[in-house]
Amino acid sequence: MRRAAFDHHSTLAWRSALASRAGVRHVGLPAVSALLSTKRPEMLDFALRQVARQRGAEVELVLAAHGFEPDRDAVRRALGDRPHQVLTFDGSTFFGDVLTAAARAASSEVLLKVDDDDWYSPDAVHDLLMARRFSGADVVGMPSEFVYLHANDDRDDLTVRRNHPSELFARFVAGGTLLLERGLLRSLGDFRRVRKFVDAQLLAGVEASGGRIYRTHGLGYVLRRTGAGHTWQRDDEEFRRPDIVASEWAGFQPSLALEVDPLDRPDGGR
């Protein structure tokens, strides 16, 4: 309902309608360049589908393949007519340097950092842009409210919903949902030249510079934890602390707002 109100009944929609009647092209929500850095070829198809399914927003993908050469024809087929760029980097390149290069190559002034293994609803980018518009924040993101914990030796897989308040100004948002302007990133000295904690250091820089961070709803995002392959290490039990867990369910149980494709379920739709 809020999305419909924003698109069709807000001051932005009103100005767009007036401009259209006057024969003037009115620019509404800005185009976004999604920065996807990945060292995992096995996750690439999944990640491409998360970008390709976005609706209600103009999204360019800047794919930064870190340590491998992707099949460019396969990338093109997966994205259809969506604009994209493919960059490649040696595996020893710092993660922060990879992201900075991707940001500099981006065509849009608004940048979105996405992760290769997390789930995004088809409206994720639109909702982030909507929150940016009504909050006026320098950085917008979603909380890691829903977390999928992949099965390990001593337990089955779980979906955890955590007590992360949303629709408020906050110090932290999920690193796979960071939306900000290219100019702000440049003013902060780009992404730090580090191998991990890139997101936390960027947010700390925004806060230190007096910038504001807004956390919108988390219904369109699921953080995946598989126990390996992450740039930041954390015990899975940290995601299940009683003081932060609202609910948990066996298996993969995302919000209905995710509109998950059966192909993208952990079991591949089987």
Side-chain angles (χ1 to χ4, degrees):
M1 289 177 63
R2 181 172 66 176
R3 194 178 301 123
F6 181 84
D7 287 344
H8 303 294
H9 304 287
S10 66
T11 55
L12 178 66
W14 178 69
R15 286 199 300 270
S16 295
L18 288 179
S20 178
R21 290 172 190 168
V24 177
R25 181 178 180 273
H26 178 72
V27 178
L29 293 174
V32 174
S33 289
L35 312 180
L36 171 63
S37 172
T38 179
K39 298 187 82 168
R40 297 182 282 192
E42 69 277 11
M43 293 305 303
L44 183 55
D45 288 346
F46 170 88
L48 292 174
R49 287 193 295 271
Q50 304 310 299
V51 175
R53 72 198 302 250
Q54 294 304 307
R55 63 194 178 201
E58 297 178 36
V59 183
E60 171 199 44
L61 175 66
V62 183
L63 170 61
H66 197 180
F68 70 99
E69 178 64 46
D71 183 333
R72 295 173 187 250
D73 289 335
V75 172
R76 189 177 303 110
R77 288 193 299 271
L79 294 174
D81 59 359
R82 192 174 294 282
H84 64 278
Q85 303 180 51
V86 178
L87 311 177
T88 58
F89 300 86
D90 185 86
S92 62
T93 308
F94 284 92
F95 182 36
D97 289 348
V98 171
L99 286 173
T100 293
R104 291 176 179 174
S107 300
S108 305
E109 289 303 312
V110 179
L111 308 176
L112 170 64
K113 178 185 171 292
V114 297
D115 286 345
D116 63 359
D117 58 349
D118 296 338
W119 287 269
Y120 298 84
S121 82
D123 299 302
V125 177
H126 177 283
D127 286 356
L128 288 166
L129 287 170
M130 182 170 64
R132 176 177 180 264
R133 176 91 181 176
F134 66 65
S135 70
D138 300 286
V139 175
V140 173
M142 296 176 178
S144 50
E145 180 177 353
F146 288 86
V147 181
Y148 172 69
L149 302 176
H150 191 272
N152 60 27
D153 293 337
D154 59 3
R155 63 157 171 76
D156 296 329
D157 56 338
L158 294 170
T159 301
V160 176
R161 186 176 189 180
R162 305 194 290 170
N163 290 315
H164 277 325
S166 58
E167 305 305 347
L168 77 175
F169 288 94
R171 297 184 64 192
F172 297 104
V173 293
T177 67
L178 291 174
L179 183 85
L180 74 163
E181 285 193 358
R182 183 206 305 265
L184 173 61
L185 181 63
R186 286 176 175 167
S187 73
L188 297 173
D190 296 314
F191 290 99
R192 298 292 182 264
R193 195 168 191 263
V194 293
R195 300 195 185 280
K196 55 185 179 179
F197 306 127
V198 170
D199 311 325
Q201 294 201 22
L202 175 62
L203 292 173
V206 171
E207 188 176 34
S209 69
R212 298 191 302 167
I213 302 164
Y214 188 81
R215 183 192 294 161
T216 191
H217 74 85
L219 298 174
Y221 174 70
V222 178
L223 174 70
R224 186 196 312 240
R225 293 295 299 180
T226 60
H230 301 282
T231 57
W232 56 291
Q233 300 301 316
R234 190 172 180 182
D235 191 319
D236 282 355
E237 292 306 309
E238 280 290 304
F239 292 95
R240 302 180 65 199
R241 288 187 359 239
D243 59 316
I244 62 171
V245 171
S247 306
E248 65 177 44
W249 306 272
F252 181 62
Q253 301 291 339
S255 159
L256 292 178
L258 196 71
E259 297 183 32
V260 66
D261 187 323
L263 184 62
D264 292 331
R265 296 182 66 87
D267 60 5
R270 294 188 297 274

